[in-house]
Amino acid sequence: MENYLGVDVGTGSARAGLFDGAGCLLGAGSVEIETFRPAPDFAQQSSADIWRAVCGAVRAALEEAGVTGNEVAGIGFDATCSLVVSGREGDSVTISPDGAAEQDVILWMDHRALEDAVEINAIGGAPLEYVGGTISPEMELPKLRWLKREMPESWAKAHRFWDLPDWLVHRATGEETRSLCSTVCKWSYLGHKGQNGEGWDDGFLRAIGLNDLTESDHVAIGKTHAAPGKYCGSLAAAAAQDMGLVSGIAVAASMIDAHAGAVGTLGLSLAEEDITRRLAMIAGTSTCHIGLSHEAIFVPGVWGPYYGVVLDEYWALEGGQSAAGALIDAVISRHSAATALAERAKSNGQRVTDVLDAELAKMGPDTHLLSAHRHVQPDFHGNRSPLAEPWRRGGLMG
C-alpha cells in the first residue's frame, strides 16, 4: 500500500504525519524549533535547525506507524511564511543584527521592517491592491528592503531568497520552482497573470528600491511557479537519507500552513455544497480566516484577493489576528501563578491550558459570563484586519 507524508512547520515545532491512501493517520512525530529574539520586534530562526526538526519528525512518524521509507510514495510541505536567505552554495546568510551565522530565517511575526512597510505603502503600486490596500511588515518585500539597507554585506552574499515552504521543497529536491501560495500571498506576485514570471511587477519592485530582484529573470525570487499540490520534483538522495526515506519519491508544491489547513477545513464533508459558501478559521500562533470565491473581490484591510493560492482557479481572501495562541501563552507566562501552574501541569502530564480548562469547568456552565463586563482588543502584536495597522497594541475596557 502507498503511504504519504505531510510535513507542517509551525512557529514552535515541525510536525509530520504519515497517511495511507484513504487519508487515515498511521503515525505522527513532532520536534521543537528554537526562536531567537536579539532585539524587540525581532524573531529569527535557523534553517538548519528547522531541517533537523523536519527530519526528526518524519523519522518519528515512520517509527510510530511501523512503516519503512520505501513504503512512502510522496511528501508535501507546509510552513510559516518566513523569509530564508541562502548563499550561492546553499549556505546560510545571516539576517541577525549580531551576525549569528546560522540565523538565516526572519520569522513571519518579525516586525523589524515596520517602517519599510509604511514607506512602501506611501510609494504605492498596483500589487498593493491585492493585499487589501496596504502591505504588512509580516510579508517578504518589506523584510527584503530592510535587509538590503541595514545589512548590505548579507545582501551582497545572498544568492536566493525563499519563503520557508518553498525552501523546504528546494531543500528536499534541489529544484527551484516556487508555489503560487507563498509568492502570491507574501511576495506580491500576481498569480492571475501567469506562472512563468509574468506576475512580477518590475516597476513596483524598482520603485520600492528592490530593482536587484528583477535581474536575470527574477532568479533570486523565483522564475517559475506551480499551483499548490502540483508535482514539484523528486526527493533527492541526501534529503532522503536525512529523513529515512528513499530518493525519487514525488514532492508536491508547498503551501503556507494556514492555507493548507483551509484546504481540509473548507473541503470537509462538502457533499454538494459550494465551497465558496464556507469560511475557514485556522487557529495557531496566529489566527487566519480564509474564504474562497470564483471572482476577485477587493476588501480594504483584508489580504487578497489572491489567485490560485488554496485551490487552482479560485481566489482567496484572508483576514486574521497576528497573535492568538502566542498571545494566550504570553498572558499566562506573565501571570504571578505561571510557575506553579506549569509545575502542576507537568506533574499531571498535562498542558497548562488543560489545567486551566479544568478549573473553568468547576465554575459551572456559564463561564463566558465571567468576562461579560470586560472586553479585550487583543492586538498585542498589531492588527492584520480589517484595520491593517501592525503598530496597534490593543485595548482593554471594563
Side-chain angles (χ1 to χ4, degrees):
M1 179 181 293
E2 291 187 340
N3 303 298
Y4 302 89
L5 273 164
V7 178
D8 168 45
V9 178
T11 304
S13 64
R15 284 87 63 169
L18 183 72
F19 300 84
D20 64 19
C24 296
L25 179 65
L26 305 177
S30 178
V31 177
E32 291 187 354
I33 298 169
E34 187 173 5
T35 296
F36 305 90
R37 299 180 181 275
D41 291 330
F42 283 59
Q44 305 168 180
Q45 292 183 339
S46 158
S47 64
D49 184 50
I50 292 171
W51 185 249
R52 173 198 60 80
V54 164
C55 295
V58 167
R59 287 180 174 274
L62 292 171
E63 182 178 357
E64 183 174 278
V67 170
T68 59
N70 59 8
E71 296 176 86
V72 177
I75 184 169
F77 297 93
D78 72 64
T80 66
C81 46
S82 302
L83 175 67
V84 186
V85 184
S86 60
R88 185 168 295 277
E89 304 301 322
D91 49 311
S92 298
V93 175
T94 183
I95 48 75
S96 182
D98 59 11
E102 282 203 345
Q103 294 176 33
D104 56 352
V105 180
I106 302 180
L107 201 58
W108 64 270
M109 65 169 63
D110 185 291
H111 274 201
R112 72 182 70 186
L114 180 59
E115 292 305 316
D116 289 276
V118 171
E119 290 175 11
I120 291 172
N121 289 325
I123 294 168
L128 298 184
E129 298 175 16
Y130 293 86
V131 289
T134 56
I135 204 165
S136 166
E138 296 175 17
M139 297 175 179
E140 309 302 13
L141 295 185
K143 293 173 183 174
L144 289 170
R145 198 171 185 265
W146 180 94
L147 186 68
K148 180 179 180 179
R149 183 185 64 256
E150 299 295 333
M151 300 188 67
E153 291 186 6
S154 288
W155 185 263
K157 292 177 182 177
H159 184 60
R160 294 287 188 271
F161 302 102
W162 304 93
D163 214 68
L164 178 56
D166 288 329
W167 179 84
L168 290 167
V169 172
H170 169 69
R171 183 66 177 78
T173 65
E175 304 293 339
E176 298 212 11
T177 298
R178 318 283 181 116
S179 171
L180 284 178
C181 187
S182 297
T183 49
V184 171
C185 293
K186 305 302 175 185
W187 296 71
S188 299
Y189 185 83
L190 303 178
H192 55 286
K193 292 192 173 184
Q195 298 186 8
N196 296 314
E198 305 95 333
W200 292 119
D201 187 325
D202 288 354
F204 175 68
L205 292 173
R206 294 188 186 101
I208 65 175
L210 295 176
N211 52 295
D212 320 48
L213 304 183
T214 69
E215 297 173 359
S216 302
D217 199 16
H218 313 94
V219 66
I221 54 175
K223 296 168 59 175
T224 58
H225 305 80
K230 298 295 184 182
Y231 175 77
C232 217
S234 58
L235 189 65
Q241 184 175 3
D242 289 345
M243 291 189 277
L245 301 172
V246 295
S247 61
I249 68 173
V251 180
S254 65
M255 298 191 77
I256 298 169
D257 50 359
H259 295 66
V263 172
T265 304
L266 293 171
L268 183 66
S269 303
L270 191 61
E272 299 301 318
E273 184 183 351
D274 184 352
I275 198 170
T276 64
R277 295 171 61 88
R278 293 184 166 190
L279 178 70
M281 180 174 175
I282 311 301
T285 304
S286 61
T287 300
C288 292
H289 298 73
I290 299 175
L292 304 181
S293 63
H294 295 292
E295 305 293 336
I297 299 172
F298 297 84
V299 183
V302 175
W303 292 350
Y306 297 137
Y307 183 77
V309 301
V310 175
L311 293 177
D312 202 15
E313 299 184 1
Y314 284 85
W315 295 81
L317 285 173
E318 178 187 352
Q321 186 177 324
S322 293
L327 177 57
I328 295 172
D329 292 341
V331 169
I332 292 172
S333 68
R334 294 170 186 174
H335 196 279
S336 60
T339 302
L341 183 63
E343 292 174 353
R344 178 179 166 189
K346 184 177 181 180
S347 65
N348 294 339
Q350 295 178 296
R351 298 183 303 173
V352 167
T353 48
D354 293 331
V355 175
L356 293 175
D357 283 343
E359 289 297 323
L360 285 170
K362 295 176 185 178
M363 299 181 185
D366 298 322
T367 52
H368 62 286
L369 296 177
L370 293 172
S371 57
H373 301 293
R374 176 167 292 193
H375 305 280
V376 177
Q377 180 188 342
D379 294 335
F380 286 33
H381 199 60
N383 183 293
R384 281 185 183 170
S385 60
L387 299 177
E389 294 177 346
W391 55 86
R392 188 176 283 269
R393 292 294 177 262
L396 190 148
M397 296 146 280

